[in-house]
Amino acid sequence: ISKEVTQSSENEHQYIQEMMSQLSPDVYATMSTYDVYHLLALYLLAGMDDMLHGVTRQNMAPHVGTIFAALLDGHPDLIHFLRTGAMPTNKATIRRFLQLFASGFGLFLMRRFMRTEQTLLDQNKPSSTKDVMELLLETWNNLSKGKRSAFRWETFDDETKEQLADLAPIDKVDLMRSREEDKKKREDDASNDKKKDIRIAKLPECAVCGAQDGLGVELLHCACNVVRYCSNHCQKLHWKEHKKLCKERRSSKATPKS
């Protein structure tokens, strides 16, 4: 599929993708583990990660949403995993979808599926798997390159992250502290600002336990909008440390600008 799509003309690869979109969930459920794995690795995820030559992510999005929805509907235990974080008990399903963990879009899908589905339900909108996938794809395509890179970063192993230490993610709290600590130094040498370009945004996570959004976890903002927590318990544990910064931030927001 990947070869045919990338080596054909625009009209031809649109036709191929439309044909794939017509396959039912039952067909995907009976596909071999090998076929499903490589359909994900070489076509769906590669395209959404901008690694598929000859086809743009935007052009693929309508077809990817339909194909992904049928693929997921053919594997109910995987949808249960996306909603709850409970790993499938079927080893074949795990092998089929293992590539999700090695893809930026795959991680985005796993982290945001539950929240996106709940958003549609709260708005009394259709919330079928296809509706969820279409909204996820729209969100993904609207993310900045840096934010998409944040999901890609999480797919790297520790050794790779260490090799790319100069591009390490930085969250809001670290950014604020570094700005305060380095203010005088930056004033003395403004040219250093260019060397501190932040290329990758860090994925939101609980300030205490590090849990990330999705897979049964929904992070909530603190009133200062600087940190997030996965539960009231984590918020209470962090309050003593965070109290001063929180009050300062809330106070600065409340003070009217002159």
Side-chain angles (χ1 to χ4, degrees):
I1 293 171
S2 175
K3 181 179 178 181
E4 291 294 332
V5 168
T6 56
Q7 294 185 358
S8 58
S9 67
E10 182 176 353
N11 290 336
E12 287 174 333
H13 72 62
Q14 290 292 336
Y15 173 75
I16 294 170
Q17 293 180 99
E18 287 171 5
M19 292 294 292
M20 287 295 300
S21 299
Q22 295 178 25
L23 297 180
S24 68
D26 291 338
V27 173
Y28 287 109
T30 56
M31 275 187 179
S32 70
T33 299
Y34 177 90
D35 286 341
V36 172
Y37 180 88
H38 286 87
L39 172 64
L40 281 171
L42 300 181
Y43 170 53
L44 297 175
L45 298 178
M48 291 298 98
D49 286 339
D50 296 312
M51 299 175 66
L52 193 60
H53 300 293
V55 184
T56 65
R57 173 167 34 86
Q58 288 78 6
N59 289 341
M60 284 183 61
H63 305 291
V64 169
T66 303
I67 296 170
F68 237 124
L71 194 59
L72 294 176
D73 284 337
H75 298 81
D77 48 348
L78 181 65
I79 292 184
H80 180 68
F81 163 65
L82 296 176
R83 288 171 176 160
T84 66
M87 286 295 290
T89 56
N90 188 324
K91 292 183 179 180
T93 300
I94 297 175
R95 287 194 297 269
R96 289 182 180 194
F97 294 94
L98 198 60
Q99 195 66 18
L100 289 174
F101 294 90
S103 159
F105 178 72
L107 285 182
F108 172 79
L109 168 63
M110 291 189 290
R111 296 293 178 190
R112 298 292 180 85
F113 186 92
M114 177 191 70
R115 186 201 304 176
T116 303
E117 184 178 51
Q118 189 59 51
T119 297
L120 291 174
L121 289 171
D122 292 343
Q123 296 175 355
N124 293 319
K125 294 182 178 180
S127 56
S128 66
T129 308
K130 183 179 179 180
D131 294 317
V132 175
M133 285 305 308
E134 288 178 349
L135 184 53
L136 281 170
L137 287 165
E138 180 183 346
T139 304
W140 178 253
N141 284 328
N142 289 332
L143 289 180
S144 67
K145 186 175 181 180
K147 289 183 178 179
R148 289 199 302 273
S149 297
F151 289 93
R152 183 62 179 163
W153 175 270
E154 295 300 323
T155 67
F156 297 152
D157 56 29
D158 292 340
E159 182 178 350
T160 304
K161 287 182 178 180
E162 186 174 347
Q163 292 173 353
L164 300 174
D166 291 339
L167 295 176
I170 184 166
D171 62 18
K172 287 184 178 180
V173 176
D174 291 336
L175 179 58
M176 188 188 315
R177 289 172 178 168
S178 67
R179 282 175 175 172
E180 293 173 353
E181 294 170 357
D182 297 342
K183 184 176 180 180
K184 187 176 183 302
K185 184 177 180 180
R186 290 201 306 270
E187 290 174 349
D188 294 338
D189 188 4
S191 63
N192 286 339
D193 288 348
K194 296 181 180 179
K195 299 179 183 179
K196 296 178 181 178
D197 178 38
I198 301 169
R199 305 181 192 179
I200 300 178
K202 188 175 182 180
L203 292 181
E205 60 182 31
C206 176
V208 177
C209 66
Q212 293 181 332
D213 255 346
L215 303 181
V217 177
E218 181 178 2
L219 297 182
L220 300 176
H221 279 285
C222 177
C224 65
N225 205 35
V226 173
V227 295
R228 305 186 191 195
Y229 301 102
C230 65
S231 64
N232 289 335
H233 176 68
C234 281
Q235 184 179 22
K236 290 178 181 178
L237 288 178
H238 194 231
W239 179 240
K240 185 175 181 180
E241 177 184 345
H242 178 59
K243 182 177 180 181
K244 181 178 179 181
L245 176 62
C246 184
K247 290 185 175 181
E248 289 176 355
R249 289 288 290 174
R250 292 167 66 182
S251 174
S252 64
K253 285 184 178 182
T255 303
K257 295 182 180 180
S258 57

mmCIF file of all heavy atoms in Angstrom, residues 210-229:
data_model
loop_
_atom_site.group_PDB
_atom_site.id
_atom_site.type_symbol
_atom_site.label_atom_id
_atom_site.label_comp_id
_atom_site.label_asym_id
_atom_site.label_seq_id
_atom_site.Cartn_x
_atom_site.Cartn_y
_atom_site.Cartn_z
ATOM 1 N N GLY A 210 4.007 12.559 37.489
ATOM 2 C CA GLY A 210 4.443 12.508 36.098
ATOM 3 C C GLY A 210 3.462 11.870 35.136
ATOM 4 O O GLY A 210 3.772 11.691 33.964
ATOM 5 N N ALA A 211 2.262 11.528 35.609
ATOM 6 C CA ALA A 211 1.262 10.902 34.731
ATOM 7 C C ALA A 211 0.872 11.868 33.621
ATOM 8 O O ALA A 211 0.722 13.063 33.853
ATOM 9 C CB ALA A 211 0.027 10.505 35.537
ATOM 10 N N GLN A 212 0.732 11.341 32.394
ATOM 11 C CA GLN A 212 0.362 12.164 31.253
ATOM 12 C C GLN A 212 -1.101 11.951 30.892
ATOM 13 O O GLN A 212 -1.700 10.944 31.244
ATOM 14 C CB GLN A 212 1.254 11.837 30.053
ATOM 15 C CG GLN A 212 2.708 12.233 30.263
ATOM 16 C CD GLN A 212 3.570 11.912 29.054
ATOM 17 O OE1 GLN A 212 3.281 11.001 28.308
ATOM 18 N NE2 GLN A 212 4.639 12.665 28.872
ATOM 19 N N ASP A 213 -1.651 12.933 30.180
ATOM 20 C CA ASP A 213 -3.045 12.862 29.737
ATOM 21 C C ASP A 213 -3.311 11.603 28.928
ATOM 22 O O ASP A 213 -2.460 11.152 28.174
ATOM 23 C CB ASP A 213 -3.371 14.081 28.864
ATOM 24 C CG ASP A 213 -4.225 15.090 29.612
ATOM 25 O OD1 ASP A 213 -4.762 14.728 30.666
ATOM 26 O OD2 ASP A 213 -4.344 16.227 29.148
ATOM 27 N N GLY A 214 -4.520 11.062 29.060
ATOM 28 C CA GLY A 214 -4.938 9.929 28.254
ATOM 29 C C GLY A 214 -4.789 8.606 28.971
ATOM 30 O O GLY A 214 -4.222 8.516 30.069
ATOM 31 N N LEU A 215 -5.305 7.560 28.332
ATOM 32 C CA LEU A 215 -5.226 6.204 28.883
ATOM 33 C C LEU A 215 -5.773 6.163 30.311
ATOM 34 O O LEU A 215 -5.147 5.622 31.221
ATOM 35 C CB LEU A 215 -3.787 5.679 28.842
ATOM 36 C CG LEU A 215 -3.139 5.666 27.453
ATOM 37 C CD1 LEU A 215 -1.730 5.109 27.531
ATOM 38 C CD2 LEU A 215 -3.967 4.854 26.469
ATOM 39 N N GLY A 216 -6.951 6.764 30.511
ATOM 40 C CA GLY A 216 -7.602 6.736 31.810
ATOM 41 C C GLY A 216 -7.216 7.872 32.737
ATOM 42 O O GLY A 216 -7.685 7.940 33.865
ATOM 43 N N VAL A 217 -6.352 8.787 32.292
ATOM 44 C CA VAL A 217 -5.888 9.902 33.125
ATOM 45 C C VAL A 217 -6.331 11.218 32.490
ATOM 46 O O VAL A 217 -6.136 11.434 31.297
ATOM 47 C CB VAL A 217 -4.352 9.906 33.265
ATOM 48 C CG1 VAL A 217 -3.892 11.125 34.070
ATOM 49 C CG2 VAL A 217 -3.881 8.624 33.929
ATOM 50 N N GLU A 218 -6.922 12.104 33.295
ATOM 51 C CA GLU A 218 -7.292 13.438 32.819
ATOM 52 C C GLU A 218 -6.658 14.471 33.733
ATOM 53 O O GLU A 218 -6.989 14.552 34.916
ATOM 54 C CB GLU A 218 -8.810 13.624 32.789
ATOM 55 C CG GLU A 218 -9.229 14.987 32.267
ATOM 56 C CD GLU A 218 -10.746 15.152 32.194
ATOM 57 O OE1 GLU A 218 -11.464 14.213 32.590
ATOM 58 O OE2 GLU A 218 -11.196 16.218 31.766
ATOM 59 N N LEU A 219 -5.715 15.240 33.195
ATOM 60 C CA LEU A 219 -5.012 16.239 33.988
ATOM 61 C C LEU A 219 -5.845 17.510 34.132
ATOM 62 O O LEU A 219 -6.504 17.937 33.187
ATOM 63 C CB LEU A 219 -3.670 16.589 33.322
ATOM 64 C CG LEU A 219 -2.651 15.452 33.207
ATOM 65 C CD1 LEU A 219 -1.370 15.984 32.582
ATOM 66 C CD2 LEU A 219 -2.359 14.822 34.561
ATOM 67 N N LEU A 220 -5.794 18.103 35.322
ATOM 68 C CA LEU A 220 -6.533 19.333 35.602
ATOM 69 C C LEU A 220 -5.551 20.448 35.947
ATOM 70 O O LEU A 220 -4.571 20.228 36.664
ATOM 71 C CB LEU A 220 -7.505 19.118 36.760
ATOM 72 C CG LEU A 220 -8.563 18.028 36.541
ATOM 73 C CD1 LEU A 220 -9.401 17.861 37.801
ATOM 74 C CD2 LEU A 220 -9.453 18.364 35.355
ATOM 75 N N HIS A 221 -5.811 21.650 35.429
ATOM 76 C CA HIS A 221 -4.947 22.798 35.694
ATOM 77 C C HIS A 221 -5.113 23.281 37.133
ATOM 78 O O HIS A 221 -6.211 23.280 37.680
ATOM 79 C CB HIS A 221 -5.304 23.960 34.772
ATOM 80 C CG HIS A 221 -4.713 23.856 33.403
ATOM 81 N ND1 HIS A 221 -3.388 24.100 33.138
ATOM 82 C CD2 HIS A 221 -5.270 23.523 32.217
ATOM 83 C CE1 HIS A 221 -3.159 23.940 31.860
ATOM 84 N NE2 HIS A 221 -4.281 23.587 31.268
ATOM 85 N N CYS A 222 -3.994 23.709 37.714
ATOM 86 C CA CYS A 222 -4.058 24.460 38.971
ATOM 87 C C CYS A 222 -4.619 25.837 38.631
ATOM 88 O O CYS A 222 -4.600 26.270 37.480
ATOM 89 C CB CYS A 222 -2.662 24.577 39.575
ATOM 90 S SG CYS A 222 -2.611 25.570 41.096
ATOM 91 N N ALA A 223 -5.116 26.562 39.636
ATOM 92 C CA ALA A 223 -5.713 27.879 39.394
ATOM 93 C C ALA A 223 -4.719 28.861 38.787
ATOM 94 O O ALA A 223 -5.109 29.799 38.095
ATOM 95 C CB ALA A 223 -6.268 28.439 40.696
ATOM 96 N N CYS A 224 -3.421 28.640 38.993
ATOM 97 C CA CYS A 224 -2.401 29.540 38.447
ATOM 98 C C CYS A 224 -2.100 29.244 36.991
ATOM 99 O O CYS A 224 -1.407 30.002 36.325
ATOM 100 C CB CYS A 224 -1.112 29.445 39.262
ATOM 101 S SG CYS A 224 -0.323 27.811 39.157
ATOM 102 N N ASN A 225 -2.575 28.099 36.505
ATOM 103 C CA ASN A 225 -2.411 27.689 35.113
ATOM 104 C C ASN A 225 -0.963 27.371 34.741
ATOM 105 O O ASN A 225 -0.591 27.383 33.566
ATOM 106 C CB ASN A 225 -2.949 28.769 34.159
ATOM 107 C CG ASN A 225 -3.353 28.190 32.818
ATOM 108 O OD1 ASN A 225 -3.845 27.065 32.758
ATOM 109 N ND2 ASN A 225 -3.137 28.923 31.752
ATOM 110 N N VAL A 226 -0.135 27.076 35.733
ATOM 111 C CA VAL A 226 1.269 26.744 35.481
ATOM 112 C C VAL A 226 1.495 25.239 35.546
ATOM 113 O O VAL A 226 2.214 24.673 34.726
ATOM 114 C CB VAL A 226 2.192 27.453 36.496
ATOM 115 C CG1 VAL A 226 3.630 26.969 36.344
ATOM 116 C CG2 VAL A 226 2.122 28.950 36.293
ATOM 117 N N VAL A 227 0.897 24.568 36.514
ATOM 118 C CA VAL A 227 1.082 23.136 36.686
ATOM 119 C C VAL A 227 -0.249 22.407 36.554
ATOM 120 O O VAL A 227 -1.318 23.022 36.621
ATOM 121 C CB VAL A 227 1.714 22.808 38.060
ATOM 122 C CG1 VAL A 227 3.112 23.370 38.158
ATOM 123 C CG2 VAL A 227 0.844 23.360 39.185
ATOM 124 N N ARG A 228 -0.170 21.078 36.364
ATOM 125 C CA ARG A 228 -1.360 20.248 36.262
ATOM 126 C C ARG A 228 -1.233 19.060 37.214
ATOM 127 O O ARG A 228 -0.128 18.646 37.562
ATOM 128 C CB ARG A 228 -1.540 19.733 34.833
ATOM 129 C CG ARG A 228 -1.581 20.834 33.784
ATOM 130 C CD ARG A 228 -1.916 20.270 32.424
ATOM 131 N NE ARG A 228 -1.719 21.250 31.362
ATOM 132 C CZ ARG A 228 -2.186 21.125 30.136
ATOM 133 N NH1 ARG A 228 -2.881 20.053 29.821
ATOM 134 N NH2 ARG A 228 -1.969 22.048 29.220
ATOM 135 N N TYR A 229 -2.379 18.520 37.597
ATOM 136 C CA TYR A 229 -2.403 17.384 38.513
ATOM 137 C C TYR A 229 -3.392 16.333 37.993
ATOM 138 O O TYR A 229 -4.404 16.665 37.366
ATOM 139 C CB TYR A 229 -2.813 17.814 39.915
ATOM 140 C CG TYR A 229 -1.907 18.855 40.530
ATOM 141 C CD1 TYR A 229 -2.284 20.197 40.569
ATOM 142 C CD2 TYR A 229 -0.670 18.509 41.059
ATOM 143 C CE1 TYR A 229 -1.457 21.172 41.116
ATOM 144 C CE2 TYR A 229 0.166 19.468 41.615
ATOM 145 C CZ TYR A 229 -0.236 20.794 41.644
ATOM 146 O OH TYR A 229 0.598 21.741 42.185
#
